[in-house]
Amino acid sequence: MDDQAFRLHVREWLEANFPEEMRFPPRRLNFDQAMGWHKTLNEQGWVAPGWPTEHGGMGLSPYQQIIFSEELDRVGAFIIPSFGVTMLGPLLLGYGTDEQRAEYLPKILSGEHIWCQGYSEPGAGSDLASLRMSAEVDGDDYIVNGQKIWTTMAQQANMIFLLVRTDKEAKKQKGISFLLVPMDTPGITVREIDNIGGYSEFAEVFFDEVRVPRSNMVGAVNQGWTMAKALLGAERILLGSPKLAKFPLQRLQAMANEFGLFDDPVFKARFTQLHMEIEDSVAVYIRMLEVLRRGEQLGPEISILKLAVTEMFQRVADLILDASTEYAGTESVIPLSDGTSYKPVNTYYLSRPSTIYGGSSQVQRNILAKAILKLPG
Ligand SMILES: Cc1cc2nc3c(=O)[nH]c(=O)nc-3n(C[C@H](O)[C@H](O)[C@H](O)COP(=O)(O)OP(=O)(O)OC[C@H]3O[C@@H](n4cnc5c(N)ncnc54)[C@H](O)[C@@H]3O)c2cc1C
């Protein structure tokens, strides 16, 4: 199928199958709310656009992945991405054993396993290698103790992938390993944290003498940092997806059409400027996906995309609030004539942390300054 035929095929199928009640929700849907849709996608074989077909993915080219994601945006799909599909799956494809791939990949696709990411700890965010959660050998198991924080949707996930310290004596990056843990293991406690919007999308996760089989380790003992870096690379390309800024820009466009905002030359100029910047980032994004597709690694330049797209997202959110006039209040919802509604402040709330998670803007600038511009440390 050529790209255009593929786009029309996806569009037709989504128009026929994407549930009406899930289109353009006022805030993004969580795993529980989206599970029915996940199962429909799985029946169609469309859960994992970037995975190879032999592992149940769609095996799409980078450009087709963008088409697929654009068509999902078109019907108003607004769902927290699956960490199993976007992060753990690619990691297992690269570093897992055949047994681990056979055990975990099908359950990610079916939705039986919902994964969360246990990296950050109090005192180990930007400086992730300072993490202290310990895993000590006891027979065939590890005994895990410590705390994770800001774990997105830990309250709904039934599996967690963890970075743990397996060697306290080694240099900090060298003593870290990567573990897979069911959330119902005795000794795990989840405490939800409310975000600025009053919604609970992340949590603290406490581990008290949690027993984890040694076979649940991905890669070799003390090789966790290599995998964490590979996975963070994958996370940055995901978080650098221009979709992040493009989706709210489309909502803004709908709102602007409805309220005649394009008659205002100042609004029109600001909108057009953002539109062009986002299209530029789409071109960069496609180029980077092509590099990955060829099996090559992306270098520190990937930080440009994460940095630019998240800051664009915030500028789009700012313009949305400016343009919303009396609807910019914390509880205001705009009814649109296409039958959907829009809560501008939700976009604003969602945009604020995007320059923190997945490596803050300051950290990305440090990387670019040192690795690309060769400035002194
Ligand atoms: C919405 C959201 C969801 C998240 N989801 C997850 C998740 O699912 N799993 C998970 O493991 N983590 C998650 N995180 C955590 C996230 O990865 C961390 O918040 C992030 O790495 C920053 O770490 P920190 O919060 O400890 O801040 P810190 O590292 O303490 O940074 C505080 C400030 O100092 C700046 N700073 C730090 N170091 C430097 C430096 N060397 N140079 C210049 N400035 C610096 C930072 O830019 C920031 O402004 C999430 C965070 C958010 C906000």
Side-chain angles (χ1 to χ4, degrees):
M1 226 184 261
D2 69 31
D3 290 343
Q4 189 55 18
F6 173 70
R7 184 186 287 279
L8 291 177
H9 176 60
V10 172
R11 184 172 298 179
E12 261 173 40
W13 188 81
L14 287 175
E15 281 300 346
N17 291 282
F18 191 70
E20 213 48 63
E21 67 280 7
M22 284 177 67
R23 297 182 186 210
F24 296 104
R27 51 182 286 247
R28 63 183 183 162
L29 303 176
N30 61 39
F31 301 146
D32 285 351
Q33 292 165 320
M35 187 44 76
W37 169 241
H38 183 101
K39 290 195 188 299
T40 307
L41 266 184
N42 187 38
E43 280 160 25
Q44 178 74 359
W46 285 7
V47 166
W51 294 13
T53 46
E54 62 267 34
H55 291 289
M58 294 170 80
L60 294 185
S61 73
Y63 187 61
Q64 285 175 325
Q65 288 179 48
I66 294 197
I67 293 176
F68 190 71
S69 137
E70 282 178 353
E71 291 303 315
L72 277 166
D73 287 349
R74 203 173 161 275
V75 291
F78 190 33
I79 302 167
I80 296 181
S82 153
F83 296 105
V85 173
T86 55
M87 293 186 191
L88 187 66
L91 186 88
L92 290 176
L93 288 168
Y95 294 93
T97 60
D98 286 343
E99 291 73 29
Q100 286 169 337
R101 284 193 276 265
E103 163 74 12
Y104 295 111
L105 296 181
K107 291 178 180 163
I108 292 174
L109 294 174
S110 70
E112 186 181 335
H113 278 177
I114 314 268
W115 288 88
C116 60
Q117 179 191 28
Y119 276 23
S120 306
E121 298 180 8
S126 302
D127 184 16
L128 185 59
S130 295
L131 64 92
R132 288 188 309 186
M133 175 169 280
S134 66
E136 287 174 8
V137 175
D138 181 39
D140 287 339
D141 298 330
Y142 283 104
I143 306 294
V144 179
N145 280 292
Q147 182 196 345
K148 296 293 173 184
I149 193 166
W150 316 122
T151 319
T152 298
M153 294 322 292
Q155 56 272 55
Q156 288 182 357
N158 54 14
M159 299 292 292
I160 184 167
F161 51 89
L162 285 181
L163 289 178
V164 292
R165 186 155 301 284
T166 34
D167 184 346
K168 288 183 180 147
E169 309 305 322
K171 197 175 152 243
K172 56 186 187 175
Q173 282 88 350
K174 301 245 185 251
I176 293 173
S177 302
F178 195 100
L179 274 185
L180 308 177
V181 186
M183 289 293 278
D184 61 1
T185 314
I188 299 181
T189 309
V190 176
R191 199 157 69 199
E192 293 182 19
I193 308 173
D194 281 349
N195 64 19
I196 192 175
Y199 310 123
S200 174
E201 283 197 350
F202 43 34
E204 293 174 287
V205 190
F206 299 89
F207 287 70
D208 182 14
E209 300 287 306
V210 175
R211 194 166 275 279
V212 182
R214 286 168 73 173
S215 57
N216 283 22
M217 184 168 284
V218 184
V221 184
N222 296 331
Q223 291 301 307
W225 192 247
T226 307
M227 276 166 282
K229 276 198 302 188
L231 211 144
L232 279 177
E235 188 181 4
R236 268 170 207 163
I237 188 94
L238 178 80
L239 298 173
S241 165
K243 176 188 167 98
L244 194 70
K246 203 169 172 174
F247 186 75
L249 193 82
Q250 284 165 346
R251 295 304 278 161
L252 176 59
Q253 189 166 8
M255 193 171 92
N257 283 331
E258 187 124 355
F259 296 111
L261 298 179
F262 286 116
D263 296 338
D264 171 0
V266 176
F267 174 83
K268 198 169 173 180
R270 285 177 75 188
F271 182 93
T272 308
Q273 178 73 35
L274 281 167
H275 190 180
M276 290 193 302
E277 284 177 26
I278 293 170
E279 288 308 318
D280 281 346
S281 70
V282 171
V284 176
Y285 182 66
I286 293 176
R287 231 186 93 213
M288 291 195 181
L289 282 182
E290 287 291 350
V291 173
L292 293 179
R293 184 73 179 177
R294 288 198 299 269
E296 295 163 21
Q297 294 289 322
L298 281 168
E301 70 274 16
I302 198 169
S303 290
I304 294 170
L305 205 55
K306 201 280 173 177
L307 177 66
V309 166
T310 50
E311 295 191 351
M312 268 175 223
F313 179 25
Q314 292 184 344
R315 287 200 297 280
V316 172
D318 290 346
L319 183 54
I320 286 174
L321 275 200
D322 282 355
S324 298
T325 60
E326 73 268 30
Y327 290 109
T330 50
E331 292 309 318
S332 304
V333 176
I334 304 180
L336 297 171
S337 57
D338 62 3
T340 63
S341 61
Y342 181 58
K343 189 169 175 183
V345 78
N346 275 352
T347 305
Y348 183 78
Y349 288 151
L350 205 59
S351 74
R352 300 323 296 168
S354 68
T355 49
I356 301 173
Y357 56 65
S360 71
S361 285
Q362 289 80 5
V363 168
Q364 309 296 347
R365 284 194 167 85
N366 280 349
I367 294 170
L368 293 169
K370 282 186 207 155
I372 306 276
L373 301 175
K374 310 285 181 211
L375 297 176

